[in-house]
């Protein structure tokens, strides 16, 4: 059973930085792609960033381009999200997710992903 455990969330002031981590375990074959999603109260879950684990191609939502960076450490089976220049509108629960069953299509769409972590809260104050 695949397990994804996020860490690194917290409270920061606008303009600050955080780095989220997602430790993955329990899979036989490496996920085809992994991603970070977020959900603010009263809003739908949205894709933030994604990476093809094989080739390393990355994808970002327009709202975070130039501020967030997704990366992976294959030796540690860990996914990261470096978040810089944080804004109050970045406040949300952040989730790590993985696609293990098939080739990834729309990598920033939640419906593509079949495994999810429990989430880590990020709060940005103005």
């Amino acid at each position: 059973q695949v397990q994804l455990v996020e860490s690194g969330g917290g409270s920061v002031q606008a303009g600050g930085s955080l780095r989220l981590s997602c430790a993955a375990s329990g899979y036989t074959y490496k996920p085809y792609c992994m991603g970070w999603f977020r959900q603010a109260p009263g809003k739908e879950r949205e894709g933030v960033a994604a990476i093809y684990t094989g080739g390393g191609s990355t994808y970002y939502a327009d709202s975070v381009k130039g501020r967030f960076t997704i990366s992976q450490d294959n030796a540690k089976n860990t996914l990261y999200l470096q978040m810089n220049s944080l804004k109050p509108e970045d406040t949300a629960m952040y989730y790590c997710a993985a696609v293990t069953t098939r080739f990834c299509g729309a990598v920033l769409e939640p419906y593509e992903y079949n495994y999810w972590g429990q989430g880590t809260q990020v709060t940005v104050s103005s």
Side-chain angles (χ1 to χ4, degrees):
Q1 184 75 1
V2 175
Q3 285 192 317
L4 303 173
V5 180
E6 302 96 335
S7 61
S11 297
V12 296
Q13 290 191 328
S17 298
L18 284 173
R19 188 176 81 154
L20 306 183
S21 299
C22 172
S25 62
Y27 50 78
T28 302
Y29 301 99
K30 189 165 66 173
Y32 293 99
C33 62
M34 297 188 72
W36 287 99
F37 293 79
R38 66 186 181 187
Q39 188 166 18
K43 294 189 177 181
E44 293 187 353
R45 191 168 296 190
E46 64 173 351
V48 173
I51 185 168
Y52 278 103
T53 59
S57 297
T58 57
Y59 302 84
Y60 297 93
D62 288 343
S63 58
V64 306
K65 279 181 182 176
R67 301 189 297 123
F68 290 11
T69 303
I70 188 171
S71 62
Q72 59 181 351
D73 184 329
N74 291 325
K76 295 182 179 180
N77 291 331
T78 300
L79 183 74
Y80 301 100
L81 184 68
Q82 177 67 44
M83 305 186 295
N84 298 328
S85 302
L86 283 161
K87 304 176 181 179
E89 51 263 43
D90 294 320
T91 296
M93 185 71 78
Y94 282 71
Y95 299 91
C96 170
V99 178
T100 63
T101 54
R102 56 181 175 80
F103 181 75
C104 309
V107 295
L108 292 179
E109 293 294 339
Y111 63 74
E112 288 283 341
Y113 292 78
N114 59 316
Y115 282 103
W116 293 84
Q118 293 300 306
T120 186
Q121 177 68 36
V122 172
T123 302
V124 184
S125 58
S126 57

